[in-house]
Amino acid sequence: MDPLQRTGAVALIEDGFDSVEAVEGPDGMEADLLDRIVVVYPGGAFLQVFVIAPALELPRRLCGLSWVNCSHDPSC
Protein backbone atom coordinates (compact mmCIF):
# COMPACT_ATOMS: atom_id res chain seq x y z
CA MET A 1 0.00 0.00 0.00
CA ASP A 2 1.21 3.49 -0.74
CA PRO A 3 1.11 6.24 1.96
CA LEU A 4 -2.30 7.53 0.88
CA GLN A 5 -3.83 4.04 0.97
CA ARG A 6 -2.32 3.42 4.42
CA THR A 7 -3.80 6.70 5.71
CA GLY A 8 -7.20 5.70 4.35
CA ALA A 9 -6.96 2.22 5.87
CA VAL A 10 -6.17 3.65 9.31
CA ALA A 11 -9.10 6.07 9.04
CA LEU A 12 -11.52 3.28 8.10
CA ILE A 13 -10.35 1.00 10.91
CA GLU A 14 -10.41 3.82 13.49
CA ASP A 15 -13.94 4.84 12.38
CA GLY A 16 -15.09 1.26 12.81
CA PHE A 17 -13.70 1.06 16.34
CA ASP A 18 -15.16 4.47 17.22
CA SER A 19 -18.64 3.04 16.65
CA VAL A 20 -18.11 0.18 19.14
CA GLU A 21 -18.44 0.55 22.91
CA ALA A 22 -18.71 -3.13 23.81
CA VAL A 23 -19.07 -6.56 22.26
CA GLU A 24 -21.53 -9.15 23.51
CA GLY A 25 -20.58 -12.80 23.22
CA PRO A 26 -22.91 -15.74 22.54
CA ASP A 27 -23.27 -16.35 26.30
CA GLY A 28 -24.47 -12.77 26.86
CA MET A 29 -21.23 -11.66 28.55
CA GLU A 30 -19.92 -8.25 27.47
CA ALA A 31 -16.37 -7.17 26.70
CA ASP A 32 -15.89 -3.41 26.99
CA LEU A 33 -13.54 -1.78 24.49
CA LEU A 34 -10.97 0.35 26.34
CA ASP A 35 -8.52 1.36 23.65
CA ARG A 36 -6.87 0.25 20.43
CA ILE A 37 -3.68 0.72 18.48
CA VAL A 38 -3.83 0.67 14.68
CA VAL A 39 -0.63 0.65 12.64
CA VAL A 40 -0.68 0.17 8.87
CA TYR A 41 2.47 -0.55 6.89
CA PRO A 42 3.10 -1.46 3.24
CA GLY A 43 2.61 -5.19 3.87
CA GLY A 44 -0.47 -5.08 6.09
CA ALA A 45 -1.74 -3.85 9.42
CA PHE A 46 -1.19 -4.37 13.14
CA LEU A 47 -4.17 -4.08 15.46
CA GLN A 48 -3.97 -4.26 19.24
CA VAL A 49 -7.27 -4.07 21.10
CA PHE A 50 -7.58 -3.55 24.85
CA VAL A 51 -10.77 -4.84 26.46
CA ILE A 52 -12.26 -5.58 29.85
CA ALA A 53 -13.60 -9.09 29.45
CA PRO A 54 -14.54 -10.66 32.81
CA ALA A 55 -15.60 -13.89 31.06
CA LEU A 56 -11.98 -14.46 29.98
CA GLU A 57 -10.47 -14.02 33.44
CA LEU A 58 -11.18 -17.51 34.84
CA PRO A 59 -9.92 -19.41 31.74
CA ARG A 60 -6.80 -17.22 31.72
CA ARG A 61 -6.03 -18.03 35.36
CA LEU A 62 -6.80 -21.75 34.97
CA CYS A 63 -4.39 -22.00 32.03
CA GLY A 64 -1.72 -19.97 33.81
CA LEU A 65 -1.70 -17.35 31.06
CA SER A 66 -0.80 -13.73 31.59
CA TRP A 67 -1.91 -10.72 29.59
CA VAL A 68 0.68 -8.65 27.78
CA ASN A 69 -0.68 -5.54 29.48
CA CYS A 70 -2.96 -6.02 32.44
CA SER A 71 -2.51 -2.57 33.94
CA HIS A 72 -6.29 -2.09 33.96
CA ASP A 73 -6.74 -5.17 36.14
CA PRO A 74 -5.67 -4.55 39.75
CA SER A 75 -5.62 -8.30 40.46
CA CYS A 76 -2.75 -8.88 37.98
Side-chain angles (χ1 to χ4, degrees):
M1 289 191 283
D2 65 39
L4 183 59
Q5 290 171 322
R6 291 195 299 268
T7 301
V10 167
L12 288 172
I13 294 168
E14 290 283 348
D15 284 349
F17 276 114
D18 285 343
S19 67
V20 177
E21 291 181 16
V23 177
E24 186 175 321
D27 59 356
M29 294 293 293
E30 263 192 14
D32 295 325
L33 180 63
L34 292 177
D35 201 2
R36 78 281 185 175
I37 297 171
V38 180
V39 179
V40 179
Y41 58 95
F46 172 80
L47 305 174
Q48 189 168 17
V49 181
F50 300 90
V51 297
I52 294 178
L56 297 178
E57 184 58 27
L58 181 60
R60 178 187 74 90
R61 291 185 188 275
L62 290 175
C63 293
L65 300 173
S66 63
W67 303 119
V68 173
N69 178 355
C70 58
S71 62
H72 298 289
D73 181 358
S75 67
C76 278

